Amino acid sequence: VSLVDGTTLELDNSDTQLAQRYPPFAWTPLRQWITEHVRDIHAPACSNWEISIAAGSMSAIDLACAALLDRGDYVLSEEYSFMASFDAFQSYGSNIVPIAMDQDGLVPDALEKACQLLQEKGQSAKVLYMVPVGHNPTGTILATSRYEAIYEIAQRF
């Protein structure tokens, strides 16, 4: 298989058959490739990181909720978002705090205000859920200038 950037992946019949019959057993080569890609291209700031592979978006959201959320935790989310994610957060007993959006995605000032309001109540959010690229349902793409602002807010709160 050739990727757009010229990278080639070789799949043999045994890997292909294994992936079709027992998908989790075929994930090792995929995990290795993704891990190398993330390390080489994105250079994570922390040294202790791993990747997880999920069967789909809801599987990934459910795994993250199970790992991160306790009943009563606060989840910050774009005011418009993948509706099934809201269902998942609520099934874990989370409180969803909607954050305003505009044509450029999540509004950093609105995020900061929500964090401050929680802080005034002696609370804090445990998760910020957002879809920065190809947002569902709005189709927005987070403006490049907002990534750093959102990261800085997340660090402070």
Side-chain angles (χ1 to χ4, degrees):
V1 177
S2 293
L3 303 180
V4 174
D5 70 357
T7 303
T8 58
L9 301 172
E10 293 184 28
L11 302 173
D12 63 27
N13 282 338
S14 63
D15 285 343
T16 304
Q17 290 172 351
L18 186 63
Q20 292 171 359
R21 187 151 191 167
Y22 303 104
F25 297 111
W27 289 349
T28 299
L30 178 61
R31 282 179 52 87
Q32 290 170 339
W33 185 84
I34 293 172
T35 299
E36 290 171 12
H37 174 79
V38 170
R39 185 191 61 234
D40 296 346
I41 303 300
H42 301 288
C46 65
S47 60
N48 185 17
W49 61 273
E50 293 185 27
I51 63 146
S52 294
I53 297 175
S57 60
M58 282 310 303
S59 173
I61 290 169
D62 184 61
L63 289 169
C65 287
L68 300 173
L69 296 175
D70 296 307
R71 186 162 297 285
D73 283 342
Y74 288 89
V75 174
L76 305 173
S77 177
E78 296 149 318
E79 63 185 325
Y80 306 106
S81 198
F82 180 47
M83 290 304 297
S85 66
F86 291 160
D87 294 338
F89 301 144
Q90 289 173 335
S91 76
Y92 280 86
S94 299
N95 300 297
I96 301 169
V97 179
I99 308 298
M101 300 176 65
D102 63 16
Q103 70 279 0
D104 291 322
L106 186 135
V107 177
D109 289 342
L111 174 62
E112 185 166 23
K113 183 177 179 181
C115 291
Q116 288 170 341
L117 289 172
L118 285 173
Q119 191 175 51
E120 288 170 9
K121 295 192 297 188
Q123 303 289 333
S124 64
K126 195 178 252 185
V127 170
L128 169 61
Y129 174 77
M130 56 185 295
V131 181
V133 177
H135 186 271
N136 179 357
T138 67
T140 59
I141 296 173
L142 186 68
T144 304
S145 61
R146 293 189 178 183
Y147 280 88
E148 191 171 319
I150 291 169
Y151 182 68
E152 186 273 324
I153 294 165
Q155 285 181 308
R156 281 192 289 123
F157 290 96

